[in-house]
Amino acid sequence: MNSSLPRTILSTISPYSLAFKRQKLPISTRVSGPVSFPSISSIPSSQKPRIPLFLRPPIFTTSLSDLQKWQQWANNLALSVGSKFVDSDNGPDTNILCREVKWLLEDAVEDKSILCQLVSPENGKLVKLRADLDELYCLWKQRIEERRPFQYIVGCEHWRDLVLSVQEGVLIPRPETELIVDLVSGLVLEEEGLREGIWADLGTGSGAIAIGLARILGDGGRVIATDLSPIAVSIAAFNVKRYDLQDKVEIRQGSWFEPLEDVKGELAGVVSNPPYIPSSQIVGLQAEVGRYEPRLALDGGENGMDDLLHLCEAAALMLKPGGFFAFETNGEKQSKFLLDFMTQKLATNVHNLEAISDFCGIKRFVTGFRR
Amino acid sequence: MEFLRLPATSLGLRPFCLTLADGPSRTSTNLKSITFSLPLSFHSSFSSRKFSTPSQFSPLIQFATPESQSSARVSTETAEWAIQDFYTLRKDVETTIERVKEIRASAGIRQLEEDLTVLEKKAADSSLWGDQAKAQETLISLTDVKDKIKLLTDFKTKVEDAETIVKLTEEMESIDAAFLEEAVNTIRYLNTALDQFELTQLLSGPYDKEGAVIYITAGAGGTDAQDWADMLLRMYVRWGEKQRYKTRVVEKAMGEEAGIKSATIELEGRYAYGYLSGEKGTHRIVRQSPFNAKGLRQTSFSGVEVMPLLREESVDVEIPEEDLEISFSRSGGSGGQNVNKVETAVRIVHIPTGMAVRCTEERTQLANKIKALSRLKAKLLVVAEEQRASEIKEIRGDAVKAEWGQQIRNYVFHPYKLVKDVRTGYETSNITSVMDGELEPFIKSYLKYKYSITAAAGSVR
């Protein structure tokens, strides 16, 4: 992947981000070992998005009673977990896993209404599936035994009112990040300049924030989404197309602001959920996160703020006067540090700085405006 | 959609096809005016049970007993009337006379007649049309009252016709088959009509015809209570399936060792809420707990809440933002990128009343929040209606707590078997069938009990 980066981008990456990106490249190409599907092991080289389960054609058939057996087996497997994962790395407990069984079924069957007949299935009644029953056994085993994230199993994540395609190589959007769209929606209602302007979502991943923004901006507003990862770029493009937003969201491959030289000083807003976890903490992460999600999207360098600092500095130059920015952080400590940093170093360029809490009361976002 | 019907066997009759000039056809016209389709199929125990007070619920006559069936199955020819058949008929007529009397009393026939006089006076008043809307209202209530009185009068005439036939037969000391068939027919149609009338009376709440949401929570008692909550969940799911409601367990939180901490069931179908509304409250179990090493007798509790399943757009309630406390579940720790758990649960507390709802089944917080809010609104609407409050802000929170937590039913598995409703006094020792969802007798006796209370309150007025 390193060699595939365009030269111009490589040469303009700031020294620190280049350092950590080089260091983690071998890891991001690592294939999650236990996964046995050929389609999955070929991901790093292939940039073609996999179709999420719920969008696949219902070409498989099984009996309702066999599906019920699968459900019982899957629930029993979930029950056997108890609080084991919670105790080891704050992972999911039985309740969450049972809920996932239900959602996996919802995605796998052609007709969801059939699921309420699973309690006492009629003999011989057939049901159409989007995946072979054997594959469902295989997928749920991966979920429990190998801790493969549920969203990679079903190939999608429900986020706000969207259903986004995700797969290995792309960060699964988190519920906290939904708030960024809410923050912006409050602003664009009041300010035409923001509503009809150009917005940038940096490190877009699945395209979640970009699509969320595109749906609240005015007719003249548009979003440019960037990502360094070619997989992310192709998944984001897939999701944008699914919501029919090709005219509104443009995806560019590259690191942070580098593909945006043509709109320098013209942006109405800049948002990002950059990697912010300190490198030393990656090892101790919940298995679903640490083992499967792209390190490129998680690892923020030694103190977790390599990219955040770069974004804060550059946003001050890239935004137009009155432009807005919002970045997600690892919490209180980082938010405070960044606010102090901007107050001291960037006060001539930015103002109205604020740290905003997520729904758990953790100071999750730093926001502000270009003077 | 199944129409409520009285099984033919309940009158000890085989099917027959005698056409009568007057009786049944008149009745069927009346039936049209009160057609009321219900998914429940009614058994004779309903029609034979007494109506007015809870203590009288024990069945006086069980129509559908095997004996009565065999007593009627004498011959396939309508002409042959055995003396037993006549006794059966006489008994049925006597019971129906009582029933008609009770129904007329509980429907407030006297009050209705008084209302009629008042309304007729109003309608005749020349100043009536000064206010168009009010005039319209008066005329509508006049028609309503007239229809009701006509129906109740009809019940009386019909049953008296049947009574006359029985008396005449006794006096003549001979049996005229055609004559008796007419009486049998009348009684049969009458009982169907009375069933329907009762149900229109019983299920007339504003949300009764909606679907229902049942929320079960395990109470104090540890694993035993969680197992008990699971048993209740199964019971209601079975009941729902028997009624052919679209029954879905939308959310279930498992207990640590066994059972469930809580669960939510959605039942789609007409009148689900009307039937289930009386199930809300605390359900108590007494048994030798399988989770108690010493096998001692143990008592556990589970709470059941029932709300109407209202379509989002049909809930017309605005709750001020500041009255709501909305919390989202997210496992502790750093959150954000550090955690990947599909925890989307949302809990909303209505601060003024302290009422809370939780929604976990949807895949995003946004969706759960919308759903939780609509459930909270449904709950507030129901409580407002119960308390006869015209606005949400009139609801008394303390009263809600007391009412919704009231113990309503005991399920004793040991040392004897008994399920007993503490409100109606209705009881059965067939605990297995109750746990299999055989809830109709409990539901119906509660509906009647509730109706008799309301009627009593109404007649005091």
Side-chain angles (χ1 to χ4, degrees), chain B residues 49-58 102 424 448-449 452:
Chain B
R49 206 155 283 134
K50 295 284 249 171
F51 192 54
S52 52
T53 60
S55 60
Q56 282 175 293
F57 278 137
S58 58
E102 276 165 19
T424 62
K448 289 179 187 177
Y449 161 76
S452 66

Side-chain angles (χ1 to χ4, degrees), chain A residues 79 90-92 95-96 99-100 102-103 106-107 116 119-120 149-151 156 158-161 172 174 176 273-277 285-286 289 297-298 328 330 359-360 362 364, chain B residues 237-238 241 246-255 261 327-345 358 360-367:
Chain A
L79 277 167
N90 194 26
N95 278 325
I96 292 177
R99 217 172 286 151
E100 290 178 7
K102 209 184 96 191
W103 293 340
E106 280 178 12
D107 279 6
C116 58
V119 191
S120 41
F150 173 72
Q151 297 90 339
C156 74
H158 291 232
W159 192 83
R160 287 180 66 89
D161 50 350
I172 297 158
R174 304 291 201 266
E176 283 90 342
N273 174 20
Y276 52 63
I277 299 174
L285 285 176
Q286 186 195 333
V289 181
L298 298 170
E328 186 171 323
N330 203 24
F359 46 76
C360 283
I362 298 175
R364 179 67 58 195
Chain B
V237 168
R238 287 293 170 100
E241 285 173 350
K246 203 170 148 197
T247 308
R248 290 182 303 149
V249 179
V250 291
E251 176 265 347
K252 195 155 101 167
M254 314 297 275
K261 285 181 188 154
S327 44
F328 302 89
S329 85
R330 187 79 165 126
S331 60
S334 331
Q337 290 166 10
N338 300 274
V339 183
N340 173 18
K341 289 198 214 176
V342 267
E343 286 171 305
T344 56
R358 214 175 108 87
T360 63
E361 67 255 29
E362 298 293 331
R363 283 162 86 158
T364 70
Q365 291 183 335
L366 192 70

Side-chain angles (χ1 to χ4, degrees), chain B residues 144-254:
Chain B
D144 271 358
V145 170
K146 268 187 180 165
D147 283 352
K148 225 170 171 182
I149 292 177
K150 183 174 177 295
L151 198 59
L152 290 167
T153 315
D154 231 50
F155 290 157
K156 196 164 169 248
T157 334
K158 283 258 143 51
V159 82
E160 282 167 0
D161 286 352
E163 195 187 11
T164 314
I165 292 175
V166 169
K167 279 196 178 140
L168 277 175
T169 307
E170 276 176 332
E171 281 165 21
M172 293 191 302
E173 287 178 11
S174 76
I175 285 173
D176 179 338
F179 218 31
L180 287 175
E181 293 293 358
E182 184 185 331
V184 165
N185 239 358
T186 308
I187 293 294
R188 195 169 140 206
Y189 279 105
L190 202 45
N191 272 302
T192 316
L194 290 171
D195 280 349
Q196 294 197 4
F197 182 81
E198 273 186 359
L199 271 145
T200 48
Q201 299 296 300
L202 297 177
L203 294 175
S204 58
Y207 309 109
D208 281 356
K209 60 180 180 302
E210 307 290 345
V213 182
I214 306 180
Y215 180 59
I216 302 170
T217 31
T223 308
D224 192 62
Q226 291 176 1
D227 185 54
W228 172 226
D230 204 7
M231 289 162 74
L232 285 175
L233 171 66
R234 183 178 170 280
M235 178 178 89
Y236 286 117
V237 168
R238 287 293 170 100
W239 179 83
E241 285 173 350
K242 273 184 199 173
Q243 307 311 315
R244 297 179 180 271
Y245 287 133
K246 203 170 148 197
T247 308
R248 290 182 303 149
V249 179
V250 291
E251 176 265 347
K252 195 155 101 167
M254 314 297 275

